């Protein structure tokens, strides 16, 4: 969940496909002008829309500035926000436990301070899972949950934890419990958290209690300054017509919204075999909204191709309108909406006009296996046959043997490889997330601007909306089932690839136009073992699984199975044996995901799409963040706790495979140079013939893949940074690690160490140095033996970090950018600015 700033909404979109709020003003002005001219009887004025063509998929939501818009007035009688301010007592708010059915937990201690309602979590608030949790609630007059969009909570916290929104709380009202939670910023500063109205269970509409709870592992105090409940209508009240991502049935669509009655007219040259694919949606169930699609050829009367009423606000009504009869003609295409309730919001989800394929640009499938360690894939020489399908794909394409993620876990890594920018350039980890700056162009934005249909199917929320990566995505699905909260058990999570693939094929039926760009991110191997049948049992027997589960329960009771936990000594459980079993189950899960990938490719071939498809198979990080550092855990002795560089293979060595039939020669394997995931965006863009971004840190590998030359060897940079509070100065600085893989050597530099790191995890020196030839697992730092290299890489990484911070200013609001000529020259020299 993203804290401090509101969830990203596109009220007109950003660079190339984006519009500022000034565009909304001009839309309103255009409508007013058209209506004024009509009232004056100026029939001789040509107010027809600009002419559009559809040789590539035509995204109608991108062309509002080219359309004529009639009507769509924002109503004046909208439901208003409800706000509680706690700078004065609010007696309606009472203490509660966080669960509908408390089991031994006690209500929180709630008190009034000068400006806030203070919730104090104590050991008496511990629940059976050993977490602390409690909160406050208020009675409300039976709100319909569908009328409300989100809640804004201004609060400050004395420690780390989460704040969550819930509904109702007793046996009689157990109809809706819980939504998403937001991580608390624990430095005592006032932050604003946005929590959506997305009940996990909905058996009735009424909200009779509104509740907020805090959750933590240790005692803390949360002070709530204000709570504001924002109605759904308010989210659409800023402009009469606009574009935003809207969720229905667990899918977000990039949608045009209007206020009925309204009509949007486009002037279009219709391609061969044309069709309009769109999802119809509403904000209100009653009265229903009537949607119309009309076509008028020059000199001909308008023909209505679709007219239907829709009133189920919980789903998208997917429709396909055949325009083939108008092939080659210039027509006016009209989207209209009417309702008995004036001002009702009508939604046109991902309205896309496509025709006969008229481009040689390939489809692109960017397939990320979350947590896939290259060293555990038989395609990379692993001794178990975990990836036979990827082996076959490697025989058809090109595989990079030394590829790295650019950070150690999903959130920073995905943001980096979707922008070709390092984590420190993007601003680091702050306020509970890594939000890609608005003017850092993502892969989806590049592809969408190039005419591609775009879709995302991810089972990891860290790879999507939490970072703002839904921008310019036509259809975005974050979850592995259509209704993930209704029957999506843990075994279904283990089969995420199967369900994400089904979602992809459903999307292809709804939007069959080409070319398309799709991003998968599966979590089959992201812990939560054992594996599903028939792969469960492939490497670990049922008896071994039962023993492993029994061991896991005993270890959990004694503090967990972390590598350095005291639970091993307390229980007497053999650590290498426990982690060897975990490794076997991880291998089984890898085999399952590989099998599903093979089925996906088989169907692409059967559907006739394979020959026109560029497939990239990769990962966001290696095994450690997904299932534990098994390569270290199975050893008899462990390295010091501080000896953990991100470039350790079990943390960041990932697969990277490109397959494009008849374009990339099969059987290629590149052991040199070392590459990283930020090289993927420029490589894909060059391969498909789209312009490279003005600012990027990766380099295109296309010359290597196409056999047209070599690429310049570059050191691989990894980083993970976050805001560190200087408790003495009261200032916040970026801290963390920045690392380099440079041939034989790997160096890891700590910047502004976090003062809260336990003593046993603190480094003895700022820079650790590893000989990757003699010590590939990075177990022993040689900083004492090679002071010359320590000096060299310290200077290099410090310069890199300063360059990243300077480059980061490029992505701040324009008035805040201050780059000196020297900084610009440094960035150009490093190749970050073209």
């Amino acid at each position: 969940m993203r804290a401090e700033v509101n969830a990203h909404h596109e009220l007109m979109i950003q660079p190339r496909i984006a519009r500022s709020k000034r565009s909304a003003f001009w839309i309103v002005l255009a409508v007013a002008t058209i209506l004024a001219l009509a009232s004056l009887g100026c029939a001789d004025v040509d107010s027809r829309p600009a002419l559009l063509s559809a040789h590539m998929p035509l995204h109608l939501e991108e062309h509002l500035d080219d359309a004529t818009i009639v009507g769509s007035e924002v109503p004046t009688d909208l439901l208003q926000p409800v706000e509680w301010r706690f700078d004065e007592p609010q007696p309606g708010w009472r203490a509660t436990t966080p669960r509908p059915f408390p089991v031994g937990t006690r209500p929180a201690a709630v008190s009034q301070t000068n400006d806030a309602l203070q919730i104090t979590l104590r050991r008496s608030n511990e629940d059976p899972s050993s977490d602390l949790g409690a909160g406050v609630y208020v009675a409300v007059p039976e709100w319909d949950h569908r009328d409300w969009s989100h809640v804004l909570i201004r609060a400050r916290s004395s420690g780390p934890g989460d704040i969550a929104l819930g509904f109702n709380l007793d046996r009689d009202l157990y109809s809706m419990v819980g939504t998403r939670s937001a991580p608390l910023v624990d430095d005592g500063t006032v932050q604003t958290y946005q929590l959506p109205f997305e009940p996990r269970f909905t058996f009735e509409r009424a909200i009779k209690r509104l509740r907020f709870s805090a959750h933590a592992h240790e005692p803390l105090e949360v002070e709530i300054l204000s709570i504001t409940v924002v109605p759904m209508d308010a989210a659409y009240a800023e402009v009469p017509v606009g574009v935003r991502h809207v969720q229905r049935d667990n899918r977000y669509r990039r949608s045009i919204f209007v206020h009925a009655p309204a009509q949007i007219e486009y002037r279009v040259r219709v391609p061969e075999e044309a069709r309009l694919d769109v999802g119809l949606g509403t904000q209100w169930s009653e009265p229903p909204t009537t949607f119309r699609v009309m076509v008028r050829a020059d000199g001909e009367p308008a023909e209505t191709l679709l007219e239907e009423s829709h009133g189920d606000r919980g789903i998208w009504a997917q429709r396909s309108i055949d325009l083939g009869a108008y092939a080659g003609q210039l027509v006016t295409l009209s989207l209209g909406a009417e309702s008995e309730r004036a001002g009702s919001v009508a939604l046109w989800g991902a309205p896309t006009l496509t025709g006969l394929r008229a481009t040689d640009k390939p489809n692109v499938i960017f397939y990320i296996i979350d947590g896939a360690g290259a060293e555990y894939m038989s395609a990379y020489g692993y001794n178990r046959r975990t990836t036979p399908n990827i082996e076959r794909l490697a025989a058809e394409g090109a595989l990079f043997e030394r590829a790295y993620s650019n950070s150690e876990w999903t959130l920073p890594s995905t943001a980096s490889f979707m922008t070709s920018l390092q984590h420190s350039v993007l601003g680091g980890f702050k306020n509970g997330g890594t939000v890609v700056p608005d003017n850092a162009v993502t892969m989806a934005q590049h592809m969408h601007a190039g005419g591609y249909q775009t879709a995302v199917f991810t089972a990891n929320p860290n790879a999507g909306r939490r970072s703002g990566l839904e921008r310019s995505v036509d259809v975005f699905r974050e979850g592995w089932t259509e209704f993930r909260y209704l029957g999506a058990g843990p075994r279904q999570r283990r089969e995420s690839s199967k369900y994400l693939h089904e979602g992809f094929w459903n999307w292809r039926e709804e939007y069959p136009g080409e070319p398309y760009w799709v991003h998968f991110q599966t979590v089959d191997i992201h812990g939560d073992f054992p594996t599903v049948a028939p792969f469960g049992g492939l490497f670990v027997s049922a008896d071994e699984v039962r023993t492993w589960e029994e061991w896991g329960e005993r270890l959990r009771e004694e503090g967990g199975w972390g590598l350095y936990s005291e639970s091993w000594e307390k229980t007497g459980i053999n650590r290498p044996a426990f982690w060897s079993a975990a490794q076997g189950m991880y291998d089984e899960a890898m085999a399952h995901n590989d099998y599903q990938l093979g089925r996906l490719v088989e169907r692409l071939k059967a559907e006739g799409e394979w020959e026109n498809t560029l497939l990239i198979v990769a990962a966001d990080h290696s095994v450690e963040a997904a299932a534990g550092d098994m390569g270290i855990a199975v050893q008899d002795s462990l390295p010091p706790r501080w000896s953990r560089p991100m470039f350790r293979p079990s943390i960041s060595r990932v697969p990277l495979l490109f397959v494009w039939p008849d374009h990339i020669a099969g059987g290629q394997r590149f052991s040199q140079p070392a590459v990283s995931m930020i090289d993927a965006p420029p490589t894909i863009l060059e391969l498909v013939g789209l312009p490279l971004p003005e600012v990027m840190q990766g380099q295109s590998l296309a010359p290597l893949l196409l056999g047209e030359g070599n690429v310049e060897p570059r050191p691989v940079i990894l980083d993970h940074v976050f805001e560190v509070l200087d408790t003495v100065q009261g200032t916040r600085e970026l801290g963390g690690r920045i690392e380099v893989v440079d041939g034989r050597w790997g160096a890891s530099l700590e910047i502004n160490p976090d003062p809260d790191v336990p003593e046993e995890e603190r480094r003895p020196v700022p820079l650790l140095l590893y000989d990757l030839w003699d010590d590939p697992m990075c177990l022993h730092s040689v900083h004492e033996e090679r002071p010359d290299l320590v000096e060299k890489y310290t200077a290099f990484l410090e310069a890199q970090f300063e360059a990243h911070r300077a480059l980061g200013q490029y992505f701040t609001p324009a008035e805040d950018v201050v780059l000196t000529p020297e900084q610009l020259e440094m960035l150009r020299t490093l190749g970050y600015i073209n």
Side-chain angles (χ1 to χ4, degrees):
M1 182 67 204
R2 174 178 172 183
E4 186 183 29
V5 269
N6 293 351
H8 184 82
H9 290 304
E10 295 177 275
L11 279 183
M12 294 293 167
I13 312 289
Q14 288 296 323
R16 291 197 79 173
I17 37 186
R19 307 285 188 268
S20 68
K21 288 186 178 179
R22 290 176 296 184
S23 296
F25 168 78
W26 289 113
I27 290 173
V28 176
L29 181 60
V31 173
T33 302
I34 292 167
L35 295 177
L37 290 174
S39 67
L40 291 173
C42 298
D44 58 331
V45 177
D46 186 358
S47 59
R48 292 181 303 178
L51 178 63
L52 303 175
S53 63
H55 64 282
M56 294 280 282
L58 181 63
H59 307 284
L60 295 182
E61 78 279 5
E62 286 204 15
H63 295 279
L64 287 179
D65 284 353
D66 299 319
T68 296
I69 302 169
V70 179
S72 194
E73 296 183 3
V74 179
T76 58
D77 58 344
L78 296 176
L79 192 64
Q80 297 301 306
V82 177
E83 182 180 43
W84 291 271
R85 299 179 62 89
F86 296 101
D87 51 1
E88 59 183 36
Q90 296 284 352
W93 287 88
R94 302 177 183 179
T96 180
T97 57
R99 300 176 184 275
F101 304 114
V103 182
T105 57
R106 297 182 58 188
V110 177
S111 59
Q112 180 74 42
T113 67
N114 289 335
D115 65 346
L117 187 67
Q118 180 174 288
I119 303 172
T120 302
L121 293 189
R122 300 170 177 165
R123 283 297 171 194
S124 60
N125 305 126
E126 185 171 288
D127 66 16
S129 69
S130 299
D131 287 335
L132 308 183
V136 293
Y137 77 94
V138 68
V140 294
E142 296 205 11
W143 290 348
D144 186 333
H145 73 87
R146 300 171 304 171
D147 293 341
W148 303 92
S149 171
H150 59 273
V151 176
L152 298 175
I153 307 170
R154 294 181 64 246
R156 51 181 171 248
S157 175
S158 66
D162 295 282
I163 189 167
L165 163 67
F167 309 100
N168 305 338
L169 73 160
D170 56 32
R171 185 177 299 274
D172 294 334
L173 300 173
Y174 188 51
S175 59
M176 294 179 286
V177 291
T179 63
R180 297 183 180 178
S181 61
L184 289 165
V185 179
D186 60 354
D187 60 5
T189 60
V190 175
Q191 302 289 335
T192 301
Y193 304 91
Q194 175 173 297
L195 299 175
F197 258 67
E198 295 178 1
R200 293 182 61 190
F201 301 96
T202 307
F203 301 119
E204 63 178 55
R205 298 180 183 179
I207 295 176
K208 303 177 184 179
R209 306 282 197 280
L210 195 65
R211 61 188 178 89
F212 297 91
S213 55
H215 305 263
H217 298 299
E218 300 294 334
L220 59 73
E221 294 176 345
V222 178
E223 294 179 315
I224 300 177
L225 283 71
S226 68
I227 295 173
T228 305
V229 186
V230 181
M232 193 69 73
D233 279 348
Y236 298 93
E238 293 185 32
V239 292
V241 181
V243 177
R244 67 163 60 237
H245 276 90
V246 181
Q247 182 190 23
R248 294 288 182 273
D249 54 34
N250 202 35
R251 287 178 291 179
Y252 294 82
R253 297 189 188 218
R254 198 161 172 270
S255 306
I256 297 174
F257 68 85
V258 297
H259 297 270
Q263 186 161 300
I264 306 174
E265 296 183 349
Y266 296 93
R267 186 77 170 153
V268 179
R269 183 178 295 278
V270 181
E272 296 290 330
E273 300 182 14
R275 56 185 283 170
L276 173 66
D277 295 294
V278 63
L280 310 179
T282 62
Q283 281 301 104
W284 291 84
S285 298
E286 298 175 356
T289 298
T290 298
F291 291 84
R292 290 187 183 89
V293 175
M294 302 177 69
V295 175
R296 185 180 70 252
D298 286 348
E300 299 292 334
E303 180 182 1
T304 300
L305 301 183
L306 170 76
E307 180 173 348
E308 72 171 67
S309 294
H310 179 56
D312 189 340
R313 61 185 294 176
I315 66 170
W316 291 110
Q318 183 65 33
R319 299 294 178 261
S320 178
I321 296 95
D322 185 359
L323 300 174
Y326 293 89
Q329 298 184 54
L330 297 177
V331 304
T332 298
L333 176 64
S334 300
L335 309 180
E338 294 180 1
S339 174
E340 293 179 12
R341 180 180 182 269
S344 290
V345 173
L347 302 163
W348 300 87
T352 308
L353 177 64
T354 58
L356 188 66
R357 197 182 219 280
T359 177
D360 59 357
K361 292 188 182 301
N363 305 317
V364 179
I365 297 178
F366 196 21
Y367 197 100
I368 304 297
I369 305 175
D370 203 305
E375 69 270 28
Y376 293 100
M377 303 174 80
S378 54
Y380 282 84
Y382 186 48
N383 60 0
R384 282 176 172 157
R385 195 82 188 280
T386 54
T387 55
N389 288 288
I390 294 178
E391 289 176 49
R392 285 189 281 271
L393 288 170
E396 297 183 47
L399 182 144
F400 288 88
E401 296 184 336
R402 296 184 62 216
Y404 293 85
S405 61
N406 295 97
S407 199
E408 59 186 330
W409 67 292
T410 300
L411 196 68
S413 175
T414 306
S416 286
F417 68 66
M418 283 299 181
T419 59
S420 194
L421 297 171
Q422 299 282 169
H423 188 227
S424 49
V425 173
L426 294 171
F429 190 80
K430 60 180 68 172
N431 298 327
T434 297
V435 179
V436 174
D438 286 344
N439 52 349
V441 185
T442 67
M443 275 300 298
Q445 288 176 295
H446 282 295
M447 304 303 286
H448 205 269
Y452 276 72
Q453 294 190 110
T454 55
V456 170
F457 300 91
T458 174
N460 189 335
N462 287 321
R465 297 176 67 246
R466 190 175 175 189
S467 295
L469 293 173
E470 76 276 15
R471 302 173 199 166
S472 294
V473 178
D474 295 325
V475 176
F476 185 98
R477 177 169 159 178
E478 198 171 80
W480 51 90
T481 59
E482 287 298 328
F483 301 94
R484 59 179 166 183
Y485 296 130
L486 302 179
R491 284 197 176 275
Q492 289 179 311
R493 194 203 68 75
R494 297 166 189 163
E495 294 183 276
S496 70
S497 58
K498 171 185 174 182
Y499 294 104
L500 295 183
H501 296 174
E502 288 180 2
F504 166 75
W505 289 115
N506 290 338
W507 174 67
R508 291 297 296 135
E509 290 180 9
E510 295 172 352
Y511 292 89
E514 299 184 49
Y516 58 80
W517 178 90
V518 61
H519 164 211
F520 285 103
Q521 193 130 339
T522 66
V523 293
D524 295 31
I525 62 175
H526 218 287
D528 193 24
F529 305 129
T531 312
V532 298
F535 296 92
L538 191 62
F539 304 121
V540 183
S541 70
D543 288 342
E544 289 172 322
V545 170
R546 281 192 290 270
T547 299
W548 181 82
E549 291 177 330
E550 292 170 1
W551 284 350
E553 186 60 34
R554 289 172 56 195
L555 290 166
R556 189 181 297 109
E557 292 172 354
E558 296 295 338
W561 51 75
L563 296 188
Y564 300 91
S565 174
E566 296 178 356
S567 58
W568 302 106
E569 185 174 345
K570 290 180 180 179
T571 61
I573 293 172
N574 183 278
R575 173 173 43 79
F578 177 87
W579 282 103
S580 291
Q583 179 176 330
M585 288 182 280
Y586 174 90
D587 294 342
E588 292 172 347
M590 182 82 80
H592 173 263
N593 202 147
D594 176 82
Y595 168 74
Q596 295 295 343
L597 176 58
R599 293 189 65 193
L600 175 68
V601 171
E602 287 175 3
R603 184 162 175 184
L604 287 168
K605 292 178 178 179
E607 298 286 344
E609 296 186 9
W610 178 246
E611 297 303 318
N612 291 321
T613 298
L614 167 63
L615 170 67
I616 304 96
V617 180
D620 55 340
H621 54 77
S622 188
V623 61
E624 193 236 32
D629 199 340
M630 297 174 298
I632 302 296
V634 297
Q635 300 189 27
D636 292 332
S637 61
L638 301 175
R641 295 183 71 166
W642 48 262
S643 181
R644 184 188 169 278
M646 288 185 289
F647 49 73
R648 177 178 285 164
S650 56
I651 297 175
S652 61
R653 187 184 172 214
V654 296
L656 184 57
L657 168 67
F658 291 82
V659 185
W660 187 11
D662 298 326
H663 291 81
I664 296 175
Q668 300 183 82
R669 299 183 76 98
F670 300 106
S671 59
Q672 296 293 337
V675 299
S676 71
M677 286 297 291
I678 62 171
D679 295 328
T683 303
I684 295 169
L685 292 173
E686 184 169 347
L687 287 174
V688 303
L690 293 180
L692 298 181
E694 179 183 356
V695 179
M696 63 179 180
Q697 291 181 281
Q699 66 171 333
S700 172
L701 307 174
L704 272 179
L705 296 171
L706 300 176
E708 296 175 351
N710 295 319
V711 297
E712 177 186 357
R714 290 184 181 181
V716 169
I717 304 295
L718 306 90
D719 63 357
H720 184 210
V721 300
F722 43 84
E723 287 188 335
V724 177
L725 177 65
D726 186 328
T727 55
V728 177
Q729 300 295 327
T731 59
R732 302 177 71 86
E733 297 288 340
L734 281 183
R737 287 173 291 157
I738 182 169
E739 303 185 350
V740 62
V741 173
D742 185 25
R744 178 174 184 171
W745 305 103
S748 174
L749 179 67
E750 191 171 38
I751 305 287
N752 295 329
D754 187 343
D756 295 329
V757 172
E759 182 68 32
E760 64 273 14
E761 296 181 21
R762 295 184 183 178
R763 297 181 170 200
V765 292
L767 186 127
L768 301 178
L769 180 71
Y770 296 86
D771 185 337
L772 303 180
W773 291 3
D774 294 341
D775 180 21
M777 290 298 292
C778 307
L779 303 178
H780 174 68
S781 174
V782 294
H783 56 274
E784 293 182 348
E785 294 93 321
R786 294 300 304 266
D788 56 326
L789 294 179
V790 169
E791 181 179 3
K792 170 186 174 181
Y793 287 116
T794 298
F796 173 79
L797 289 172
E798 286 177 344
Q800 286 288 321
F801 186 72
E802 289 306 313
H804 291 186
R805 295 191 65 182
L807 184 61
Q809 295 184 63
Y810 191 90
F811 299 103
T812 59
E815 60 270 20
D816 297 333
V817 175
V818 181
L819 291 177
T820 66
E822 291 77 17
Q823 288 175 318
L824 287 168
E825 183 57 34
M826 173 178 61
L827 295 172
R828 290 192 184 95
T829 301
L830 291 171
Y832 295 159
I833 297 179
N834 290 333

